[in-house]
Amino acid sequence: MDKEDLRRAIDRVDDELLRLLKERQALAGQLGELKRGLGLPIYDPQREEEILARQNAARDSLEERAITSVWREIFSASRQAQNPLRAAYLGPEGTFTHQAAIVKFGTSAELIAAHTIAAAFGLVAKHTVDYAVLPVENTLQGVVGETVDLLGAARKALIIGEVTLPIHFVFSSVCDRLENIRTVYSKQEAFPQCANFLNQPALDEARRVAVASTSEAVWRAKEDPTGAALSTEVAANQAGVPILFRNVENNPRNKTRFLVLGHDQPAPGGDHKTSVFAKVQNVAGGLEGLLAAFKRNNINLTKIESRPMDDAANFETWFYIEFEGHLNDLAVRSIFEKHDLVWLGSYPKGNAIEDVPWN
């Protein structure tokens, strides 16, 4: 086959793909009508995880991230055919949380940037949006206390999913020589994560200025002829600021985990996690008794974090706990029956998403 023969063959495949996508979209619309009639949620993270697992198992030589990216948009379009979806995230555009929202909901969803974690939480708590995506944990900086504390205090939204993204920073500037850069802008948390790059002699004269987000940092750098920014690649591209260096973070294995909040509890099935707040007696062995209950029931704890209580008079704490299993599991139910736990949600375990092309 020559070039034209191959192109005609590709055109035939493209036409068949389009026909099948139209067919799938029509079926998704019918499914949406059925779900609405039965009072079921449109977004079904467990079903999407099952489809991704099946497709990736049969991908052969195709890259997993390519399969995931394609299906992410198919899911997004299908949800829109069933019912338009709105999701809030910690903005502005171009932040890592924005990228996590795109991974979860695709570009067909209406994604709404909130100025603060509390504002995003408030939008979903008041049902102004269907979902919210918020950071909860970074491998270097630890837990995001504000997200966890809002869940415990308000209890007006459930955790229905999670997504983990690799954290890669780019260094961008309109100034093409490091020696001439006098100011580096970024979110405060970015500076220690990129300390090795920033501590090189060429940047000795550069001061570090913390701003509200990595996206704001890029726009500040664009207006400053001797400024630079640490940001996501998509933020630098959106602002049109040249990228001088990629992957300037200290640890290439750095990741951030994000929680997806909503009101419709995912159905049991598959691998699930559950999040709770636990209150234990302030006596010797109080926490040990709770942990022993998990051990007796063969339930694996994946995180435990002490958090202050709003009404504490003597520095009492809650414990934020994540563990494997679903609220409907008999072993999990037995612990709820015997201990003072506040359920925050049971949700499909999210897999780490490797580098996603954002350009």
Side-chain angles (χ1 to χ4, degrees), residues 54-115:
R54 188 176 72 250
Q55 296 299 321
N56 278 314
R59 62 187 171 85
D60 294 330
S61 60
L62 294 174
E63 290 187 6
E64 182 173 352
R65 72 168 187 167
I67 294 293
T68 300
S69 295
V70 169
W71 277 99
R72 178 184 70 203
E73 292 304 322
I74 292 175
F75 292 151
S76 183
S78 295
R79 287 192 297 265
Q80 289 301 100
Q82 296 177 47
N83 195 41
L85 181 151
R86 306 177 78 226
Y89 65 91
L90 176 61
E93 290 186 359
T95 60
F96 290 111
T97 313
H98 184 205
Q99 293 183 359
I102 292 173
V103 165
K104 262 308 181 190
F105 298 114
T107 56
S108 294
E110 183 181 355
L111 301 179
I112 299 169
H115 294 301

Side-chain angles (χ1 to χ4, degrees), residues 68-251:
T68 300
S69 295
V70 169
W71 277 99
R72 178 184 70 203
E73 292 304 322
I74 292 175
F75 292 151
S76 183
S78 295
R79 287 192 297 265
Q80 289 301 100
Q82 296 177 47
N83 195 41
L85 181 151
R86 306 177 78 226
Y89 65 91
L90 176 61
E93 290 186 359
T95 60
F96 290 111
T97 313
H98 184 205
Q99 293 183 359
I102 292 173
V103 165
K104 262 308 181 190
F105 298 114
T107 56
S108 294
E110 183 181 355
L111 301 179
I112 299 169
H115 294 301
T116 64
I117 289 176
F121 186 90
L123 289 173
V124 69
K126 296 174 183 176
H127 294 263
T128 304
V129 299
D130 304 297
Y131 304 100
V133 180
L134 298 176
V136 69
E137 180 182 19
N138 177 264
T139 52
L140 299 182
Q141 301 296 313
V143 72
V144 180
E146 184 177 0
T147 297
V148 173
D149 294 342
L150 282 168
L151 282 166
R155 304 177 193 174
K156 294 181 179 179
L158 296 173
I159 304 170
I160 65 160
E162 64 177 0
V163 60
T164 300
L165 296 183
I167 301 302
H168 296 308
F169 288 94
V170 300
F171 187 84
S172 59
S173 177
V174 294
C175 178
D176 59 0
R177 291 181 59 84
L178 286 181
E179 294 80 2
N180 296 332
I181 291 174
R182 293 293 175 264
T183 307
V184 179
Y185 302 96
S186 195
K187 195 169 182 178
Q188 182 61 51
E189 294 82 353
F191 295 125
Q193 294 183 38
C194 302
N196 293 345
F197 177 85
L198 295 175
N199 289 338
Q200 60 182 294
L203 293 173
D204 278 346
E205 301 298 320
R207 64 191 181 107
R208 302 171 189 180
V209 175
V211 294
S213 69
T214 54
S215 294
E216 180 183 339
V218 173
W219 290 102
R220 294 282 292 272
K222 185 174 184 177
E223 298 169 355
D224 184 347
T226 61
L230 293 168
S231 74
T232 64
E233 184 165 351
V234 67
N237 289 336
Q238 286 178 338
V241 179
I243 295 174
L244 304 185
F245 299 93
R246 287 178 169 82
N247 300 338
V248 297
E249 65 277 357
N250 300 347
N251 188 343

Side-chain angles (χ1 to χ4, degrees), residues 216-356:
E216 180 183 339
V218 173
W219 290 102
R220 294 282 292 272
K222 185 174 184 177
E223 298 169 355
D224 184 347
T226 61
L230 293 168
S231 74
T232 64
E233 184 165 351
V234 67
N237 289 336
Q238 286 178 338
V241 179
I243 295 174
L244 304 185
F245 299 93
R246 287 178 169 82
N247 300 338
V248 297
E249 65 277 357
N250 300 347
N251 188 343
R253 294 181 296 278
N254 185 19
K255 292 180 173 64
T256 294
R257 186 163 62 97
F258 303 85
L259 296 179
V260 183
L261 308 183
H263 301 279
D264 300 313
Q265 179 58 37
D271 293 332
H272 274 76
K273 289 171 65 176
T274 294
S275 293
V276 300
F277 262 111
K279 185 177 182 180
V280 299
Q281 290 185 333
N282 191 19
V283 297
L287 178 59
E288 181 183 9
L290 175 61
L291 298 181
F294 283 101
K295 182 178 181 180
R296 284 195 305 271
N297 286 277
N298 197 31
I299 296 175
N300 181 41
L301 298 184
T302 58
K303 174 163 286 297
I304 181 167
E305 185 89 18
S306 65
R307 301 302 307 166
M309 298 171 64
D310 286 344
D311 57 352
N314 296 301
F315 298 98
E316 293 99 342
T317 61
W318 288 90
F319 288 93
Y320 173 72
I321 301 175
E322 296 179 353
F323 55 88
E324 295 178 350
H326 192 280
L327 179 66
N328 289 1
D329 297 343
L330 290 177
V332 174
R333 295 298 304 176
S334 70
I335 296 180
F336 272 82
E337 291 169 0
K338 298 176 182 178
H339 295 272
D340 189 2
L341 304 180
V342 177
W343 180 63
L344 302 177
S346 297
Y347 46 95
K349 291 171 64 176
N351 295 320
I353 304 296
E354 295 308 319
D355 294 334
V356 179

